[in-house]
């Protein structure tokens, strides 16, 4: 606002140098990564306000990479006990950085399983969970990494409880 002559225009420039561009409601940021946008308003008398700056987030469109390593992928014996599994997680994102890694789900292949057969803090960054050592089951464990631009990568790992250990 300008109470004397009124605002003639608001303008911006990307990266802190170059010509000023009249603001028209949408600013296209041409590069990936954090970008400084300078802006100011000019009144009808030609007076420009002090330059203000804003750092705009990344235009990152690449999902982060994620690796998941479970300390147990085969459980033996199938003694129906709850067995703790530890996950080692490694996520990287070169553009905007990793915001989170979340335990998204653990599914059991046995349709007769009960909710008590899986003990996990689904929806959190938990790296330890427990599953029941019931024979002939497969547990599918999914972790999701999200970067600071909102891109996601899901990785699935499998834990099996075989019927038998024949041949091993």
């Amino acid at each position: 606002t300008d109470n004397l002559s009124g605002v003639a225009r608001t303008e911006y420039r990307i990266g802190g140098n170059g010509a000023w561009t009249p603001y028209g409601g949408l600013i296209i940021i041409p590069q990936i990564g954090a970008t400084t946008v300078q802006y100011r308003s000019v009144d009808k008398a030609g007076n420009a306000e002090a330059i203000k700056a804003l750092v705009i987030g990344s235009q990152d469109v690449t999902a982060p990479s994620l690796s998941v390593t479970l300390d147990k992928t085969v459980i033996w014996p199938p003694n129906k006990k709850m067995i703790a599994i530890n996950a080692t997680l490694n996520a990287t994102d070169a553009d905007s950085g990793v915001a989170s890694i979340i335990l998204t789900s653990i599914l059991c292949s046995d349709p007769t399983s009960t909710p008590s057969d899986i003990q996990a803090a689904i929806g959190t960054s938990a790296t330890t969970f427990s599953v029941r050592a019931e024979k002939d089951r497969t547990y599918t464990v999914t972790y999701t990494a999200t970067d600071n631009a909102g891109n996601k990568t899901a990785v699935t790992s499998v834990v099996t409880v075989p019927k038998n250990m024949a041949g091993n």
Side-chain angles (χ1 to χ4, degrees):
T1 62
D2 184 277
N3 294 332
L4 299 175
S5 65
V7 176
R9 68 186 176 281
T10 299
E11 53 194 14
Y12 70 94
R13 62 184 178 187
I14 298 171
N17 46 15
W20 289 96
T21 302
Y23 174 69
L26 179 66
I27 299 174
I28 304 297
I29 308 294
Q31 64 263 13
I32 291 177
T35 301
T36 300
V37 176
Q38 291 182 326
Y39 61 97
R40 67 182 182 189
S41 292
V42 180
D43 67 15
K44 291 178 183 175
N47 300 307
E49 71 174 317
I51 296 171
K52 297 177 182 161
L54 183 64
V55 176
I56 303 295
S58 172
Q59 287 188 346
D60 177 3
V61 295
T62 304
S65 65
L66 173 63
S67 67
V68 177
T69 304
L70 303 179
D71 68 344
K72 296 174 193 73
T73 56
V74 176
I75 298 174
W76 190 260
N79 56 14
K80 299 185 182 185
K81 292 183 178 179
M82 295 302 290
I83 304 298
I85 309 284
N86 296 299
T88 301
L89 311 172
N90 185 20
T92 59
D93 186 83
D95 293 328
S96 64
V98 176
S100 66
I101 306 171
I102 301 297
L103 175 58
T104 310
S105 66
I106 301 175
L107 303 174
C108 181
S109 64
D110 183 353
T112 65
S113 68
T114 66
S116 65
D117 292 339
I118 299 171
Q119 296 172 352
I122 303 296
T124 72
S125 59
T127 57
T128 300
F129 56 89
S130 296
V131 295
R132 189 167 310 281
E134 184 77 44
K135 73 177 178 178
D136 202 23
R137 283 190 176 175
T138 300
Y139 295 96
T140 303
V141 181
T142 303
Y143 278 91
T144 302
T146 305
D147 67 17
N148 287 303
N151 302 304
K152 296 182 180 195
T153 297
V155 171
T156 300
S157 297
V158 175
V159 177
T160 58
V161 186
K163 283 184 186 180
N164 59 56
M165 291 295 280
N168 292 333

